[in-house]
Amino acid sequence: MTPATSTIATAVQQIVQHPQHSRLFKLLYALQQNQWPPQAPSWTVSDVQQAVIQILERLKTPTLLGQRLTAIVNSLNKAQDYQILSAALLQILVPLYSPSPTATLTIEAPTFSTADLYDLRLEVTRYCTPLHMKLLVAALLTSKPVHAQGLERFTLIALLQRLTRRYGDLEILQTQMAAALARLPHDPLYASAGDRLIKLLSTLYQRYQQSPAPEATLGSTPPDPSEAEEELTCQLFPQGQYREGLSCW
């Protein structure tokens, strides 16, 4: 179902008023026409709105939108120049798939036991360092820049717990993954870690949907409901140097 005209109009204004709207127009054109334009289209506000509507009708889920946009950006000679813009466009368009913009990340997720979280930590770090995974998960929890120094106070399990409680819809998480990867250093390890995280969570979610959620592990601290909506802020990620030797467990 196409979202309300007023909601689309708000998204269109965000695109048109963006400092690099010409490049956003190119991305929209590529999504709409399945080809990269030789130059930015000379679109009016009405043209942009029509393009957005057609894109929403063609790419019917956030996952399809994210996958198509990622494929477009990866095919460009100047891919790195468009990664941040791609993330910005996703942040504008993804809420249009929800009945209301605020509902995008509030779908109820299963509550995993402490044992499940420990197992998840073990599996997600099997082929990457805990530091890589912490940076990736942190990027999924905030739109602010993330740095290793600012993550010293967080364990990987705590970050995974916040992640699983925030994202009840794996399609939304997969779309946000594309935006998170665009904000991290260009390293194939992050992309492979993201794919592994999605696959592991998919298996876990299916298991919880088929059976009642287990009781909390004896002696574990009950989760604070307020943390589910808490976004990691820029104060937690001060500018600092990436430190390879940082302990993350």
Side-chain angles (χ1 to χ4, degrees):
M1 182 176 64
T2 304
T5 303
S6 60
T7 306
I8 293 179
T10 300
V12 169
Q13 286 300 318
Q14 289 180 276
I15 295 171
V16 172
Q17 295 173 5
H18 193 278
Q20 297 195 52
H21 63 273
S22 294
R23 285 186 166 182
L24 291 182
F25 285 5
K26 285 187 174 183
L27 290 173
L28 287 173
Y29 184 94
L31 287 169
Q32 179 193 37
Q33 302 294 334
N34 290 325
Q35 61 181 359
W36 187 254
Q39 59 186 12
S42 301
W43 276 348
T44 64
V45 172
S46 178
D47 294 329
V48 176
Q49 180 166 314
Q50 187 61 33
V52 169
I53 291 174
Q54 291 180 6
I55 290 167
L56 294 176
E57 291 175 347
R58 178 178 300 170
L59 304 172
K60 297 184 181 298
T61 67
T63 297
L64 291 175
L65 174 65
Q67 290 174 344
R68 181 59 187 150
L69 196 53
T70 299
I72 290 170
V73 171
N74 288 342
S75 69
L76 301 176
N77 292 330
K78 298 181 178 180
Q80 291 185 352
D81 294 343
Y82 279 89
Q83 284 178 343
I84 295 178
L85 289 171
S86 171
L89 187 58
L90 279 174
Q91 290 178 342
I92 293 172
L93 295 182
V94 166
L96 299 181
Y97 287 92
S98 176
S100 64
T102 57
T104 305
L105 303 179
T106 58
I107 300 173
E108 184 178 356
T111 302
F112 296 135
S113 68
T114 303
D116 284 324
L117 291 171
Y118 271 95
D119 289 342
L120 180 60
R121 182 194 66 177
L122 177 64
E123 291 300 321
V124 296
T125 56
R126 191 175 293 275
Y127 302 109
C128 72
T129 67
L131 178 55
H132 276 89
M133 185 55 65
K134 285 180 72 172
L135 288 165
L136 175 60
V137 174
L140 288 164
L141 291 172
T142 179
S143 59
K144 307 296 183 181
V146 295
H147 302 279
Q149 183 179 9
L151 292 174
E152 291 176 338
R153 57 180 292 191
F154 296 98
T155 65
L156 180 54
I157 283 187
L159 291 173
L160 287 171
Q161 183 181 53
R162 292 191 183 193
L163 182 76
T164 57
R165 282 156 56 186
R166 174 169 295 188
Y167 293 99
D169 188 329
L170 288 182
E171 284 195 354
I172 297 296
L173 176 58
Q174 191 166 5
T175 301
Q176 292 298 111
M177 183 72 72
L181 290 173
R183 296 195 304 273
L184 291 170
H186 185 64
D187 185 341
L189 191 59
Y190 286 113
S192 61
D195 288 341
R196 182 166 181 79
L197 177 61
I198 291 290
K199 290 176 182 177
L200 290 169
L201 286 178
S202 177
T203 301
L204 262 176
Y205 279 37
Q206 289 176 7
R207 191 175 77 196
Y208 269 72
Q209 289 170 356
Q210 295 170 358
S211 61
E215 295 181 0
T217 302
L218 183 63
S220 62
T221 303
D224 179 3
S226 64
E227 288 186 2
E229 299 303 321
E230 179 184 353
E231 177 175 299
L232 300 177
T233 64
C234 57
Q235 282 78 16
L236 300 181
F237 305 110
Q239 296 291 334
Q241 296 295 320
Y242 183 90
R243 292 190 289 169
E244 294 287 350
L246 181 64
S247 174
C248 303
W249 289 87

